[in-house]
Amino acid sequence: MIANDPITSERLLYRPFRMEDLEPYVAFCNEPSRRRWFYFQEPHCLEASFWKKGIENNIAAWSQKINLLTETAGCDLAIVLKETNQLIGSISLSKFHGPEEELDHVEIGYHLGEAYQGKGYATEAAIAFVEWGLAQLRELGTEPKIVGKAEHENGPSRRVLEKAGFHFTHAEQYVSVYEITG
């Protein structure tokens, strides 16, 4: 599979963002459930101009083969419902920013709009994206390992990681760290 091939699962399609995703995505980013866990983001990260630039970068990145170990901005994809083509959130893999011995690993991130939470979409997306990511890492000839982090109190996100096959490795000051290898 090359990076710009579609990634799908039973109910979902994962594709590069499009400019028509801007308004609904900015709305998702400003929902209380996201703001609760991303309280540290600067105010400009909630504005359309910030996400417009992100979408432009996403379109450019996905026009070529993705190398997960060099993409410092990560590879972000829109999560859309197959049945309706409705944007429901995002999922990403990005170069892991951690201890030197772990810099050849990537980190998963995901977010769903509030109306789409609690329906199993995040778990379905995480499973599909991890499968894709591990295959990409194997293709690069590395020991495939993906790390996931969730704040200690963020039970739903921690359950997504566990259901997607991640195993708890340790606790840091604010987050629980999970990993999956393949």
Side-chain angles (χ1 to χ4, degrees), residues 96-105 149 170 172:
F96 182 64
H97 301 92
E100 187 67 34
E101 67 274 8
E102 296 182 0
L103 291 181
D104 61 342
H105 307 306
K149 295 180 180 179
H170 65 281
E172 294 180 354

Side-chain angles (χ1 to χ4, degrees), residues 3-94:
N4 54 0
D5 280 350
I7 301 168
T8 62
S9 58
E10 183 181 343
R11 302 175 293 171
L12 306 172
L13 169 70
Y14 315 94
R15 61 159 171 77
F17 279 91
R18 301 175 182 157
M19 277 305 160
E20 59 264 24
D21 297 327
L22 181 61
E23 188 177 316
Y25 195 68
V26 170
F28 290 158
C29 291
N30 282 280
E31 290 178 333
S33 66
R34 184 173 189 282
R35 296 294 306 140
R36 178 179 180 195
W37 304 114
F38 288 85
Y39 53 85
F40 52 83
Q41 283 189 320
E42 298 292 328
H44 75 277
C45 294
L46 302 175
E47 299 172 4
S49 59
F50 175 82
W51 292 107
K52 182 176 187 270
K53 183 69 175 162
I55 289 174
E56 290 168 352
N57 291 340
N58 181 258
I59 291 168
W62 281 90
S63 67
Q64 55 193 322
K65 180 136 174 92
I66 296 289
N67 180 334
L68 293 175
L69 299 178
T70 61
E71 297 296 325
T72 55
C75 60
D76 301 318
L77 288 177
I79 303 173
V80 297
L81 294 173
K82 277 184 182 177
E83 192 173 294
T84 63
N85 205 32
Q86 176 73 38
L87 175 73
I88 67 168
S90 67
I91 191 157
S92 67
L93 289 174
S94 59

Side-chain angles (χ1 to χ4, degrees), residues 53 85 95 123 167:
K53 183 69 175 162
N85 205 32
K95 190 172 180 181
T123 301
H167 303 283

